[in-house]
Amino acid sequence: VWGLLFFYGLWLHNLTPEGILHIATFITLCEAFLGISPHFMIWRWVFQVVPSFPSDAFSLMGGGAQI
């Protein structure tokens, strides 16, 4: 999880509850169903992360991210 947040420059409190759920679901899917450790390239293939604020006004304050 920390590597994923580091790549996007986020902290856990920047994510929406649905974003945290998506990350937890992805990790569970990889480990329990596929039997592999979560891989970042699979994450990027499945999800697209976009800023939740369309303008750059909030980027200085550490705005949120929507997964």
Side-chain angles (χ1 to χ4, degrees), residues 10-53:
L10 298 171
W11 291 96
L12 197 56
H13 64 270
N14 294 126
L15 296 174
T16 62
E18 292 85 10
I20 295 170
L21 181 64
H22 280 111
I23 293 171
T25 303
F26 174 75
I27 291 171
T28 303
L29 174 75
C30 287
E31 292 179 350
F33 183 71
L34 299 176
I36 60 172
S37 61
H39 196 271
F40 184 67
M41 294 308 291
I42 298 172
W43 169 266
R44 292 191 64 193
W45 183 71
V46 173
F47 294 104
Q48 178 183 5
V49 178
V50 294
S52 61
F53 302 108

